[in-house]
Amino acid sequence: MGSEAKAVEGFDLMGLLRENIRKLKPYRCARDDFQDGVLLDANENLFGPPVSVEGMPSLLAYPDPHQSKLKKLYADWREVEPNQIFVGVGSDEAIDMLIRMICVPSKDNILICPPTYGMYKVSAAVNDVKVISVPLTEDFQIQPEKMLAAVNECTKLIWICSPNNPTANDIDADKIKQILDSDFKGLVVLDEAYVDFSERGSLSTWTKKYPQLVVLQTFSKSWGLAGVRCGVAISSPDVVKYMNCMKAPYNLNVLTSSVVRKNLQAKDSMLKTVAEIKLEKRRVRAELEKIPHVTKIFPSSANFLLFRVKSHSKEIYSAIANAGVVIRYRGDNLGCDECLRATVGRALDNDMFLCKLKEVIAAVLSA
């Protein structure tokens, strides 16, 4: 039998779940049974709030706990089934939930590949879960052989971020597949927050083949909706079922759901914006290459650029912030010595960044 059969046969979700989660009976809310009619079952104030804002949806009633319309729209876009979709408060809700779902505090561990998104480690610490680190290579790729050698019977989650934050590069799909086709018995989480900027595109359809794969996505990046705090997890229906059992009954509010659904029906506009950001990214990269103090600009499949300067990266970071342009210091991340990270903004934002960067570098070096 092929690798698909191996991946399915080697994964036992019930054995992986914490016992208390396996036995969990989810809270049953009023909207689980009825959503239409004269609803007098949830003790809402049917007179409504003292102040209403024109153009907003009604806020007096609880939202749909299942977010069925949103999930259908999202599933159609990613070419998966609605029962493979979990929606929550940003990706961070799913990150924390996955750890709580299968990691026993003070016993189990997760594996991360630094430099990577810091919330994996923070969520592990909050839940008293140990962290195994297997660094990326010099060109910021995962090392499947070393990762699989590092895991043990208490390793329940492997985290992979692609495009990676803070390095911006895609992780080689063949290397991800190597992890998925291995004998590792835990969940493999692929964080695709920046995937819509990647030429490769999403690997979310792989969840149909690999039931142990969880793909995280967000509306904060390509969709330009960081303020609504909406994230998505795509996985096998069984994994999603337990995530839904664990969530708060009304974890996604009416305003967020309404805004997200409207935007999902305007995908062409989002893709046009993504194309404009890619064009600006090429322009900013070309301008950075002209600055002598910039020694390297790393490949980017995201909406930001990681670049290295010869020296004084922290001083440059502070000085440019004081000059009114805020970028991110990344020199304290593994493999990112003397590195800075800049989001690709609008043309005016980028022009200001490039202008101030040149001025600040000259001032710092002459001090």
Side-chain angles (χ1 to χ4, degrees), residues 267-280:
K267 289 190 291 291
D268 289 345
S269 295
M270 180 274 285
L271 295 172
K272 181 181 177 182
T273 300
V274 167
E276 291 177 7
I277 290 171
K278 288 180 179 180
L279 285 173
E280 276 298 298

Side-chain angles (χ1 to χ4, degrees), residues 129-151:
V129 170
K130 298 178 179 66
V131 176
I132 296 172
S133 294
V134 178
L136 299 176
T137 62
E138 287 187 3
D139 59 348
F140 300 134
Q141 286 296 326
I142 61 171
Q143 305 183 75
E145 294 85 359
K146 291 185 178 180
M147 293 165 67
L148 294 170
V151 300

Side-chain angles (χ1 to χ4, degrees), residues 188-347:
V188 178
V189 186
L190 179 62
D191 190 340
E192 289 189 336
Y194 298 92
V195 74
D196 294 322
F197 301 101
S198 168
E199 296 300 324
R200 182 178 72 196
S202 175
L203 301 182
S204 55
T205 57
W206 286 21
T207 55
K208 297 177 181 179
K209 176 178 179 178
Y210 296 105
Q212 76 273 41
L213 176 62
V214 182
V215 176
L216 303 183
Q217 296 174 352
T218 180
F219 284 88
S220 297
K221 308 302 178 184
S222 59
W223 289 97
L225 291 171
V228 305
R229 306 307 301 130
C230 184
V232 175
I234 306 171
S235 190
S236 61
D238 286 340
V239 170
V240 169
K241 179 182 75 173
Y242 279 98
M243 295 180 75
N244 284 326
C245 285
M246 293 176 65
K247 77 173 184 68
Y250 306 110
N251 64 326
L252 209 66
N253 69 69
V254 170
L255 292 175
T256 291
S257 180
S258 175
V259 169
V260 167
R261 282 185 281 115
K262 286 179 181 177
N263 277 272
L264 277 169
Q265 296 174 75
K267 289 190 291 291
D268 289 345
S269 295
M270 180 274 285
L271 295 172
K272 181 181 177 182
T273 300
V274 167
E276 291 177 7
I277 290 171
K278 288 180 179 180
L279 285 173
E280 276 298 298
K281 182 169 67 175
R282 285 197 285 271
R283 183 177 74 88
V284 173
R285 172 182 286 275
E287 291 301 313
L288 286 173
E289 288 172 348
K290 299 174 184 177
I291 301 175
H293 196 62
V294 175
T295 61
K296 183 167 186 176
I297 306 145
F298 293 88
S300 173
S301 293
N303 67 333
F304 61 87
L305 289 165
L306 182 75
F307 61 98
R308 176 172 285 135
V309 294
K310 290 180 181 178
S311 63
H312 299 86
S313 56
K314 202 158 194 176
E315 292 85 350
I316 291 168
Y317 156 73
S318 297
I320 197 171
N322 290 333
V325 177
V326 182
I327 59 175
R328 201 76 182 265
Y329 172 69
R330 281 294 175 235
D332 52 358
N333 281 216
L334 185 65
C336 298
D337 52 296
E338 299 291 0
C339 282
L340 300 166
R341 192 194 74 188
T343 304
V344 177
R346 300 161 297 183

Side-chain angles (χ1 to χ4, degrees), residues 158-193:
I158 290 177
W159 297 87
I160 301 169
C161 188
S162 179
N164 189 44
N165 180 14
T167 62
N169 61 297
D170 286 317
I171 300 298
D172 190 318
D174 288 337
K175 294 182 185 298
I176 297 171
K177 188 174 185 297
Q178 191 175 339
I179 299 291
L180 292 167
D181 285 333
S182 74
D183 293 327
F184 176 63
K185 305 299 185 186
L187 292 179
V188 178
V189 186
L190 179 62
D191 190 340
E192 289 189 336

